[in-house]
Amino acid sequence: MNTPPDSPLFTLLHQVRRRLWSGRILSQLLRATWWSAALLLGGGLVHAFHQPLPASAVAALAALPLAAAVLLGLLRGRPPLAHAAAIADRWFDGKALMSSALDQWQAPPGRHTRASRFVIEAADRCAPSWSERLAHAHRWRPPRHAVIPVALGLAGVYLLLLPGPAPRQDSVAIGATPPPADASRPNLTASDFVAGLRQALRDARQAPTDPAALGGGSALGGRQSATGRMVTLHTDSTQRTASADTRPGRARAVPQEGKTPVTPAGRGSTTTGSDGPRSDTAGSGAGRVAGTRHGSPAAPPLSVQYFPVVRATGDDEKPAATGHGAGRDLTPMPAALASVDIRQTAGAARWDTDMPDALTLSPAQRHYVRQYFSDLGEPR
Amino acid sequence: MTVTSFATQGVLFQSDTDELKNVLQYAFVGQEGLIGDLLTALLAGGHVLLEGLPGLGKTHLAKAIAAGMGLELSRIQCTPDLMPSDITGSEILVHDEARRQHLEFRPGPVFAPMVLVDEINRATPKTQAALLEAMQEGQVTYAGTRYPLPRPFWLLATQNPIELEGTYPLPEAQLDRFLFKLVVDFPTAEALATLVDRSLDDEPADHIRPLFSAERLDEMMALVREVVIAEPLKRAAVALVLATHGDRPGGSPLAGAHFRYGASPRGLQSLLRAARVRALMAGRGHIALEDIEAAALPALRHRVLLNMESEMDGIDADVVLGEIVQAWRKEH
């Protein structure tokens, strides 16, 4: 046809087509917004009430539906010109003028009549004003129904930005701010400390039996293993002590020569339930640990249950073993353990002992250590 | 011709039809829609079946149109004893100048540019069938000889919808020959009052002067045929016709429930021919969906056949068809 493709008719049709295309992508984005909002909100809820989640990962996951919607819109391409013409006729009550003009323009030259030329010219006359109306009247406005998913998504973002769930009583992350010392809240955590204790005991067992090496300062010296991996410790009241201090009349909770007894956890737990009466300590148990978890070398989430230490005293107000903590005769030890000096395994570190550089306690851990020795009545 | 001439002719077409409408509306009060549809059918070159109660002015309207278009009107009053030759004509024995006798064909009343067949359903099927060839082919065959009818040729037929005794309903094949079937509604009170003022003691149709010549009518009808029908509009019209067939793909469920037969392909042709006239009347060189929609009911209502259940339930085909058209319009 004699009308070039850059005529007002085609300018309008391309304009409508672009508008349709963007509108289609927008509607797909709107649908995807619901998915993103659901992901953000779900992630936020999990983060706030169940388990901390990395906000960046959740945000990236939530962005996936939006990116997919845009990608899909781009891949589907722009709508055909005939569709744009029909839509333009519908928008401007064109009575099929654009559709007819486009149809006649696309017809073979032999089919062109004066009526078809008349129609195309009429369309070209109308197109500029329609384009102007389209530019002004059909400006994009944010759809109202997008408010809900956006609000939900923002709520999810807010939840994700919260510090995370409150620490459970049986677990705390290293470096967490210590709660105030309160005897009514016995289940507190100091995993590093306990892990250090356990490692110290393990090191003590593995060390050669050398009386010269015994001493208060040696117990905490190896609280971290050579690999730096924290170890699990379960030393509740059910543990079996391999110490000779568990014998009646020799309450091991009473510090001997200023040492605080510490019981190896792993060994104690292995005999639980099969050893008859448990060898509880006179002090109701001190530094008990439960529910610790194996973690990564960098920051293992460990947990400690803390029980206040009560010094057992006799009628003369002197430290003495009680009947409750009398324990029983020493259970025969395995041959591997028999060589370990009992003083070494029972030895506890004094606070004033120099700490090795490898062990850096967090504020929480320092708090529990302080509380531990405070309950024992030992000076720091 | 140039584009400008098409535009000019379109404007002239509009003015001429508007003028004729005004004249007819003066003579036939309160039936603006009917007049518009009638003119549409006539300018599309189709025949019209007018259905209405006696006394509504159907014959009067036909006379007024013929007068306004400058056409000779021929009237056939159908009765059960009307014979085909009474319509088409017959051969009579004549004497030539040499006083030799020979048979000569004497054309019947159908040989006129505009024929009014009054109460067509009173004629027997045999007589009705005599009109088939005239309506479709524009010719009459008698004794093996073809006699062409004048061009243009229009046939306006009237029938009474409530009188069934002594009538012969038109067969579907004949109904299909009518481009439009128009229903003459009862006029409103205001229209009746105006009608009394204008035609109580006079016949307004007798005073109508011809507005067009036969050549002008030919030009107008030729211009109608130039109107553009875009491909999407063609497909839309096809979809509408198919929607009346409930047993075919694209058929409307309503049609499946109520229609025994849907509209014929001739119905599609009628639809688009009428739509072209309406487009020109609106000053457009192309048809629009609105034109098809406006032409749908008069072009299709006599081409669909209600099934027995719907007929026994007293369902009106116009109502069903109207709903089908509305559903079609929502899709397009």
Side-chain angles (χ1 to χ4, degrees):
Chain A
M1 202 64 198
N2 52 4
T3 303
D6 57 348
S7 66
L9 164 67
F10 281 88
T11 304
L12 172 71
L13 293 185
H14 287 301
Q15 190 179 355
V16 172
R17 190 159 72 158
R18 281 194 301 271
R19 191 65 63 93
L20 286 175
W21 194 30
S22 59
R24 195 164 64 189
I25 293 177
L26 191 67
S27 72
Q28 286 174 345
L29 265 178
L30 192 63
R31 278 198 292 273
T33 307
W34 283 98
W35 287 101
S36 298
L39 287 171
L40 281 175
L41 192 62
L45 288 173
V46 169
H47 174 79
F49 301 112
H50 184 257
Q51 183 179 359
L53 294 174
S56 56
V58 176
L61 192 66
L64 279 181
L66 301 175
V70 173
L71 192 64
L72 193 67
L74 293 175
L75 287 177
R76 286 179 64 186
R78 290 181 292 178
L81 278 177
H83 182 62
I87 293 296
D89 285 330
R90 192 181 305 168
W91 281 351
F92 300 106
D93 193 20
K95 311 255 187 239
L97 175 61
M98 293 300 158
S99 298
S100 301
L102 180 68
D103 182 73
Q104 294 305 304
W105 192 90
Q106 292 173 335
R111 288 181 54 194
H112 293 155
T113 62
R114 57 176 186 159
S116 62
R117 285 190 287 272
F118 172 76
V119 170
I120 292 171
E121 288 185 4
D124 277 337
R125 279 195 304 273
C126 289
S129 63
W130 289 16
S131 292
E132 194 174 349
R133 285 170 59 190
L134 180 66
H136 290 90
H138 286 82
R139 277 189 181 140
W140 181 82
R141 276 171 285 184
R144 286 182 183 175
H145 41 280
V147 173
I148 297 175
V150 168
L152 290 177
L154 289 178
V157 169
Y158 173 75
L159 290 175
L160 279 173
L161 294 178
L162 288 178
R168 288 187 295 179
Q169 290 193 340
D170 59 348
S171 68
V172 66
I174 292 177
T177 304
D182 187 358
S184 64
R185 297 178 60 196
N187 293 328
L188 300 175
T189 59
S191 55
D192 263 6
F193 173 69
V194 176
L197 291 178
R198 182 180 176 192
Q199 186 62 35
L201 289 172
R202 184 172 292 175
D203 292 343
R205 284 198 306 273
Q206 293 171 354
T209 309
D210 184 4
L214 296 177
S218 63
L220 288 175
R223 273 183 287 191
Q224 198 160 12
S225 64
T227 60
R229 180 183 179 88
M230 295 301 176
V231 293
T232 303
L233 186 61
H234 292 279
T235 56
D236 59 9
S237 60
T238 64
Q239 76 179 25
R240 193 193 71 158
T241 59
S243 171
D245 294 340
T246 58
R247 286 176 292 182
R250 297 183 63 187
R252 64 179 175 83
V254 178
Q256 299 293 321
E257 298 176 358
K259 295 187 176 74
T260 302
V262 176
T263 306
R267 295 168 58 202
S269 60
T270 56
T271 57
T272 300
S274 60
D275 293 335
R278 294 163 183 167
S279 57
D280 203 352
T281 62
S284 304
R288 302 300 183 235
V289 180
T292 55
R293 292 180 292 180
H294 291 281
S296 64
L302 301 175
S303 60
V304 171
Q305 279 189 327
Y306 180 80
F307 298 95
V309 177
V310 178
R311 184 185 296 276
T313 55
D315 296 337
D316 54 354
E317 296 297 325
K318 291 182 178 177
T322 63
H324 174 69
R328 64 185 182 95
D329 290 340
L330 179 63
T331 304
M333 297 175 66
L337 294 175
S339 62
V340 179
D341 190 285
I342 194 64
R343 289 171 297 177
Q344 187 180 5
T345 58
R350 291 295 301 261
W351 183 248
D352 53 356
T353 305
D354 292 335
M355 294 274 184
D357 292 336
L359 178 65
T360 303
L361 296 182
S362 69
Q365 293 162 351
R366 285 198 297 275
H367 169 75
Y368 291 125
V369 170
R370 197 160 41 240
Q371 185 68 30
Y372 176 77
F373 286 109
S374 172
D375 289 346
L376 285 176
E378 293 290 329
R380 289 185 55 181
Chain B
M1 286 191 197
T2 62
V3 177
T4 310
S5 70
F6 181 86
T8 307
Q9 286 201 349
V11 172
L12 285 175
F13 182 96
Q14 259 190 297
S15 64
D16 285 349
T17 51
D18 286 344
E19 190 177 356
L20 183 57
K21 275 185 196 174
N22 291 334
V23 169
L24 293 176
Q25 284 169 10
Y26 181 83
F28 198 65
V29 181
Q31 301 283 2
E32 289 79 10
L34 176 70
I35 290 170
D37 286 341
L38 190 56
L39 278 181
T40 299
L42 295 180
L43 290 172
H47 311 293
V48 179
L49 176 62
L50 291 167
E51 186 176 89
L53 296 171
L56 288 180
K58 299 184 289 292
T59 309
H60 179 68
L61 175 63
K63 288 170 63 179
I65 283 186
M69 296 174 82
L71 300 171
E72 178 193 347
L73 179 69
S74 175
R75 176 172 176 172
I76 302 170
Q77 184 66 46
C78 293
T79 57
D81 59 352
L82 186 72
M83 298 303 289
S85 58
D86 297 334
I87 297 173
T88 59
S90 59
E91 289 182 334
I92 59 172
L93 190 64
V94 295
H95 298 270
D96 58 9
E97 293 175 350
R99 299 195 63 80
R100 286 179 302 184
Q101 295 180 342
H102 65 278
L103 291 173
E104 185 178 299
F105 180 75
R106 182 65 59 89
V110 78
F111 285 85
M114 182 171 283
V115 178
L116 173 63
V117 183
D118 220 354
E119 298 190 273
I120 189 173
N121 55 342
R122 286 193 175 279
T124 60
K126 184 179 180 181
T127 307
Q128 290 172 0
L131 293 170
L132 277 175
E133 185 185 8
M135 292 171 70
Q136 187 62 33
E137 308 292 335
Q139 66 180 20
V140 168
T141 304
Y142 190 89
T145 307
R146 293 177 181 174
Y147 300 96
L149 296 174
R151 294 295 176 104
F153 172 74
W154 289 287
L155 189 143
L156 302 179
T158 67
Q159 69 175 9
N160 186 340
I162 57 170
E163 223 173 317
L164 296 177
E165 193 176 350
T167 63
Y168 303 91
L170 289 172
E172 284 75 27
Q174 184 142 11
L175 279 173
D176 205 29
R177 262 67 177 182
F178 289 101
L179 188 109
F180 272 9
K181 177 185 176 184
L182 301 175
V183 177
V184 185
D185 292 325
F186 198 83
T188 61
E190 289 182 7
L192 284 174
T194 310
L195 185 145
V196 168
D197 292 341
R198 290 182 187 171
S199 60
L200 186 61
D201 300 318
D202 200 4
E203 189 72 37
D206 293 342
H207 305 292
I208 294 176
R209 289 182 299 175
L211 299 175
F212 313 132
S213 63
E215 292 76 21
R216 174 64 188 144
L217 275 174
D218 278 339
E219 283 179 11
M220 292 170 75
M221 293 173 71
L223 192 68
V224 166
R225 287 191 289 272
E226 289 189 44
V227 172
V228 166
I229 305 175
E231 192 64 28
L233 278 302
K234 277 182 204 166
R235 297 199 173 277
V238 169
L240 178 56
V241 170
L242 284 178
T244 62
H245 294 264
D247 55 344
R248 290 181 180 278
S252 165
L254 276 173
H258 297 291
F259 291 161
R260 184 151 44 120
Y261 298 116
S264 63
R266 194 181 277 125
L268 175 64
Q269 293 174 333
S270 303
L271 193 64
L272 291 176
R273 283 164 64 189
R276 286 198 297 206
V277 176
R278 295 192 68 93
L280 261 186
M281 283 180 173
R284 282 184 268 110
H286 63 281
I287 72 165
L289 288 171
E290 288 80 0
D291 302 323
I292 299 175
E293 183 183 9
L297 205 57
L300 300 180
R301 60 158 58 112
H302 56 292
R303 292 185 164 95
V304 296
L305 203 60
L306 285 173
N307 57 28
M308 187 184 297
E309 293 81 7
S310 298
E311 278 197 8
M312 293 178 73
D313 290 341
I315 292 174
D316 189 359
D318 279 13
V319 175
V320 179
L321 203 55
E323 292 182 10
I324 290 174
V325 171
Q326 283 184 356
W328 166 84
R329 193 66 179 90
K330 286 177 184 172
E331 294 176 6
H332 293 87

